[in-house]
Amino acid sequence: MGTSLRPAHTDLPAPRVPDPDHADCRGVASILSRVGDKWSVFVIMMLSDGPKRFNELKRMINGISQRMLTLTLRGLERDGLVTRTIFPTIPPRVDYELTDLGRGLQEPVKALGEWAITHQEQIAAARTRFDERNGS
């Protein structure tokens, strides 16, 4: 009784060809993860009426830590949605402001934030009903 070293299953499936309609899904997903992040939504909403200083934003956004605000602003700046301007005063003053690209996003984000505020009681009630049904 011997063993054959010849491959027995050589009929492998053909490699997948990328669908051109979905070729940029990863890029879109990374953008949506930035603008759909809860802290980014709050920052964009707060900057929609003009430039703000870091501590001003921190006071306006209840529950955000200094580190999270720093990371969020840095990410929004990296994506070209926010600009950071340093004024040479003592102490230095730093303002954050929406870019033209960010201002183009402010209406959909503001609408999303307002929708969430308006419907938070309904969502909380739906969650409670779901949890009761599912024993959570």
Side-chain angles (χ1 to χ4, degrees), residues 2-94:
T3 40
S4 169
L5 296 177
R6 286 183 298 195
H9 301 287
T10 57
D11 55 336
L12 299 173
R16 288 184 37 185
V17 177
D19 182 346
D21 293 334
H22 301 287
D24 60 350
C25 285
R26 284 192 197 125
V28 170
S30 77
I31 293 167
L32 291 176
S33 71
R34 162 68 55 217
V35 299
D37 169 81
K38 73 176 179 178
W39 297 123
S40 295
V41 169
F42 283 124
V43 168
I44 292 167
M45 287 175 63
M46 296 304 125
L47 290 176
S48 66
D49 62 346
K52 303 275 185 300
R53 296 176 77 171
F54 183 90
N55 285 327
E56 198 176 355
L57 284 168
K58 188 165 179 333
R59 281 191 301 274
M60 295 172 82
I61 304 171
N62 189 24
I64 193 167
S65 69
Q66 184 164 334
R67 175 169 165 64
M68 187 52 66
L69 181 55
T70 299
L71 292 173
T72 301
L73 286 165
R74 192 174 294 153
L76 291 169
E77 184 180 6
R78 180 176 182 252
D79 289 347
L81 301 170
V82 167
T83 58
R84 178 177 183 256
T85 305
I86 303 170
F87 295 93
T89 59
I90 307 235
R93 179 178 148 195
V94 180

